């Protein structure tokens, strides 16, 4: 069977359909939020290490099953294997930190704080990639971090340890985003997706060896669903970027705040307070301003935060 070829990127002058790209992006982000909610729900009856394992194992199993469709050579070929492996390890670390965090704190708050990742990416790009970052973008970074402090309110309430895991996730994801930006020039996105699943599965298997808890039938089904959603949503997002540029799709990442608030309210009875909304608003506003400035200086915006899963 001939291998399926992904369409050319919109940026490369290939298939360009912004409406389709936006639609795919919104669907993928809704699926990320659904996966988060399922992970939090499943962690109420089984260890979070098992949830992380299920997210990667069933994602990897699905990719093995469709390997003939993707093309074996295309899927397994890498040009910078070391960096691809490092990228997979970073995403595994992000998943571990975020899933562990949301098993302890509300979804909306975790996602709000997680949105400092693009702002950290701006800071890291200035120091490590020597990119020029002007005073306006530095100001946006400062406002975003101020928004994070509004959500956390240190000194006014007890800061749960899980918030620090979200910050660790945001930092790791910033490095992941910079690495992805560099690898996009040399690596096939399907290969990167495959190795993300492979490395995540290997790492999760090592972790779960110490914490194995045999799931019930219901928990097996939930773990399979989490893994399937994780893999499908990443593939949908890849194709969204084939039909529309990053500069068009970047703002739609923030729709996950809506989904996480809805899931938090209806499933977990979590109601964000006024300070959470205010802090999230500052973080989102800062991220959108950075996106606007990135477009003005004609640089690719930071990779959307939902890819952390």
């Amino acid at each position: 069977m001939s291998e399926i070829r992904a369409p050319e990127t919109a940026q490369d002058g290939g298939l360009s359909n912004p409406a389709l790209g936006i639609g795919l992006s919104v669907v993928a982000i809704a699926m990320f939020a659904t996966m988060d909610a399922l992970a939090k729900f499943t962690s109420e009856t089984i260890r979070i290490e098992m949830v992380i394992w299920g997210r990667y194992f069933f994602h990897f199993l699905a990719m093995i099953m469709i390997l003939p469709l993707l093309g074996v050579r295309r899927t397994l070929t890498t040009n910078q294997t070391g960096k691809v492996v490092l990228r997979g390890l970073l995403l595994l670390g992000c998943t571990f930190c975020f899933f562990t965090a949301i098993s302890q704190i509300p979804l909306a708050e975790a996602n709000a704080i997680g949105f400092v990742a693009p702002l950290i990416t701006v800071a890291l790009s200035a120091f490590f990639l020597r990119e020029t970052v002007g005073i306006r973008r530095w100001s946006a970074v400062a406002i975003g971090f101020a928004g994070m402090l509004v959500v956390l309110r240190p000194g006014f309430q007890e800061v749960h340890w899980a918030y620090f895991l979200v910050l660790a996730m945001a930092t790791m994801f910033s490095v992941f985003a910079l690495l992805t930006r560099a690898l996009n020039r040399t690596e096939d996105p399907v290969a990167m997706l495959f190795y993300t699943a492979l490395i995540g599965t290997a790492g999760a298997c090592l972790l779960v060896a110490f914490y194995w808890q045999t799931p019930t039938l219901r928990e097996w089904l939930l773990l399979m669903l989490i893994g399937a959603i994780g893999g499908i949503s990443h593939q949908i997002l890849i194709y969204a970027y084939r039909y529309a540029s990053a500069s068009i799709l970047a703002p739609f990442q923030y729709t996950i705040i809506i989904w996480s608030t809805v899931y938090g309210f209806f499933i977990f009875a979590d109601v964000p307070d006024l300070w959470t909304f205010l802090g999230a608003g500052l973080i989102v506003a800062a991220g959108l301003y950075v996106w606007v400035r990135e477009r003005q200086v004609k640089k690719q915006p930071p990779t959307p935060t939902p890819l952390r899963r």
Side-chain angles (χ1 to χ4, degrees), residues 108-109 112-113 146-154 156-157 163 271-283:
E109 292 184 14
I113 296 171
M148 180 190 67
L149 292 177
V150 170
V151 175
L152 294 179
R153 300 191 295 286
F156 295 92
Q157 66 171 6
Y163 290 115
V271 182
D273 59 21
L274 178 62
W275 292 107
T276 300
F277 281 118
L278 177 60
L282 288 173
I283 296 170

Side-chain angles (χ1 to χ4, degrees), residues 20 22 44 88 163 206 275:
L20 178 58
I22 290 170
E44 293 179 348
Y163 290 115
L206 289 175
W275 292 107

Side-chain angles (χ1 to χ4, degrees), residues 14 30 75 96-97 110 137 170 195 230 241 245 252 254 280-282 301-302:
T75 304
F96 174 82
C97 288
R137 275 185 287 169
Y195 281 100
Y241 279 84
S245 66
F252 294 94
Y254 296 106
L282 288 173

Side-chain angles (χ1 to χ4, degrees), residues 42-62:
T42 307
S43 69
E44 293 179 348
T45 60
I46 197 169
R47 293 188 63 98
I48 193 64
E49 293 87 358
M50 293 293 302
V51 179
I52 296 167
W53 172 81
R55 181 261 174 272
Y56 280 104
F57 178 78
F58 290 107
H59 175 182
F60 180 65
L61 186 62

Side-chain angles (χ1 to χ4, degrees), residues 18-278:
L20 178 58
I22 290 170
L24 290 173
S25 176
V26 170
V27 169
I29 290 167
M31 293 177 71
F32 282 127
T34 303
M35 180 178 65
D36 291 344
L38 286 171
K40 182 177 177 66
F41 180 76
T42 307
S43 69
E44 293 179 348
T45 60
I46 197 169
R47 293 188 63 98
I48 193 64
E49 293 87 358
M50 293 293 302
V51 179
I52 296 167
W53 172 81
R55 181 261 174 272
Y56 280 104
F57 178 78
F58 290 107
H59 175 182
F60 180 65
L61 186 62
M63 292 212 70
I64 291 295
M65 293 173 65
I66 64 172
L67 193 60
L69 297 177
L70 297 174
V72 175
R73 178 179 296 179
R74 174 191 180 189
T75 304
L76 300 181
T77 300
T78 61
N79 297 301
Q80 300 185 70
T81 304
K83 291 182 179 180
V84 171
V85 170
L86 176 59
R87 178 181 178 274
L89 291 173
L90 285 168
L91 192 60
L92 174 61
C94 290
T95 304
F96 174 82
C97 288
F98 193 75
F99 275 17
T100 303
I102 62 175
S103 70
Q104 303 292 324
I105 60 177
L107 286 170
E109 292 184 14
N111 276 294
I113 296 171
F115 274 124
V116 302
L119 305 177
I120 297 175
T121 302
V122 171
L124 292 180
S125 67
F127 288 108
F128 293 103
L129 299 184
R130 304 297 181 186
E131 293 183 0
T132 301
V133 178
I135 185 63
R136 284 178 285 187
R137 275 185 287 169
W138 277 121
S139 298
V141 170
I143 291 171
F145 280 101
M148 180 190 67
L149 292 177
V150 170
V151 175
L152 294 179
R153 300 191 295 286
F156 295 92
Q157 66 171 6
E158 182 180 356
V159 179
H160 197 287
W161 56 265
Y163 290 115
F164 295 102
L165 287 180
V166 180
L167 292 176
M169 178 280 299
T171 303
M172 283 190 290
F173 182 77
S174 299
V175 180
F176 171 87
L178 293 175
L179 194 56
T180 300
R181 186 186 301 182
L183 288 173
N184 275 336
R185 303 187 186 103
T186 62
E187 307 299 326
D188 190 307
V190 171
M192 286 198 289
L193 184 64
F194 174 80
Y195 281 100
T196 294
L198 172 61
I199 294 162
T201 300
C205 284
L206 289 175
L207 177 66
V208 85
F210 299 95
Y211 300 102
W212 180 263
Q213 178 182 347
T214 303
T216 64
L217 177 59
R218 170 178 168 275
E219 289 164 347
W220 275 119
L221 293 174
L222 287 170
L223 293 176
M224 286 189 284
L225 185 58
I226 290 169
I229 292 175
I232 294 171
S233 57
H234 272 275
Q235 193 65 41
I236 290 175
L237 196 61
I238 286 173
Y239 276 92
Y241 279 84
R242 297 296 187 179
Y243 289 103
S245 66
S247 62
I248 291 175
L249 298 182
F252 294 94
Q253 64 180 297
Y254 296 106
T255 58
I256 198 170
I257 290 288
I258 300 172
W259 289 105
S260 61
T261 301
V262 170
Y263 281 132
F265 178 76
F266 285 103
I267 299 177
F268 307 105
D270 293 328
V271 182
D273 59 21
L274 178 62
W275 292 107
T276 300
F277 281 118
L278 177 60

